[in-house]
Amino acid sequence: SGQLGVGTTAQRTWAVQVPGLSSVVAVAASDYHSVALRGDGTVWSWGSNYAGQLGDGTTTKRLLPVQVAGLTGVVAIAAGMSHTLALKNDGTVVAWGANDFRQLGDGTSTQRTTPTAVSGLTGVRSIAAGPSFSMAVLTDGTVRAWGTNSYGVLGNGTEMGQALPAPVIGLSGVTQVACGTATA
């Protein structure tokens, strides 16, 4: 799907530098797309884009990195199966891509091809993305989660999904989280 970002869909069994990217401070990857955060706070992505997960305003597959539309001041990134998250330097979070499980946290199920604010989140310290759910750690050490809730991955005591960020029950003093396929 072009997730290597080298201008082709050919498989590589050796390391290949992604052309056109420099000063990269963080990377994130899912099954079919990749994302890079540059030191200047811009975000670049490439690979499959069927749900708009590259954030360039289209659903066109990209074999080389493209800049995420209108996004600056980013300090962290996370990639889900078909959605992407970015933590901004003001402690807010934006998301884009698939939203069929409400993994973008904007209260809708509308797919987004450009960054949109995750509703009600401020004071965020770190972020993580699962296949169809998302999580954020706040500066007070609590955790918020949203999206699909298969197997109770959102930690809210139910298996009901969340369209908006909701507290994870019983967690405090947290600095970072990670998301798996059916676990958080």
Side-chain angles (χ1 to χ4, degrees):
S1 292
Q3 64 266 46
L4 297 183
V6 294
T8 179
T9 57
Q11 179 177 327
R12 302 282 196 222
T13 57
W14 62 92
V16 181
Q17 185 169 349
V18 176
L21 281 182
S22 60
S23 304
V24 173
V25 297
V27 294
S30 76
D31 294 354
Y32 302 107
H33 80 289
S34 304
V35 186
L37 171 61
R38 292 181 50 177
D40 64 2
T42 61
V43 177
W44 298 74
S45 56
W46 57 94
S48 178
N49 197 22
Y50 65 90
Q53 63 264 45
L54 300 186
D56 67 347
T58 76
T59 55
T60 303
K61 179 192 320 185
R62 304 293 183 178
L63 303 181
L64 293 167
V66 293
Q67 187 171 355
V68 174
L71 187 58
T72 59
V74 173
V75 296
I77 52 176
M81 186 179 341
S82 54
H83 75 292
T84 309
L85 304 174
L87 172 59
K88 298 185 72 175
N89 57 12
D90 63 1
T92 62
V93 177
V94 294
W96 58 94
N99 201 17
D100 48 340
F101 293 99
R102 290 151 179 83
Q103 61 265 46
L104 300 186
D106 65 353
T108 77
S109 59
T110 304
Q111 175 178 296
R112 309 287 181 181
T113 60
T114 57
T116 190
V118 175
S119 297
L121 271 187
T122 59
V124 175
R125 174 186 298 172
S126 64
I127 54 175
S132 299
F133 67 99
S134 305
M135 303 185 94
V137 178
L138 305 187
T139 54
D140 66 4
T142 62
V143 180
R144 302 293 184 271
W146 60 97
T148 191
N149 199 12
S150 301
Y151 308 103
V153 295
L154 300 184
N156 63 7
T158 76
E159 287 192 16
M160 291 182 57
Q162 293 286 159
L164 297 168
V168 173
I169 298 170
L171 286 183
S172 62
V174 177
T175 58
Q176 195 167 11
V177 293
C179 299
T181 300
T183 61

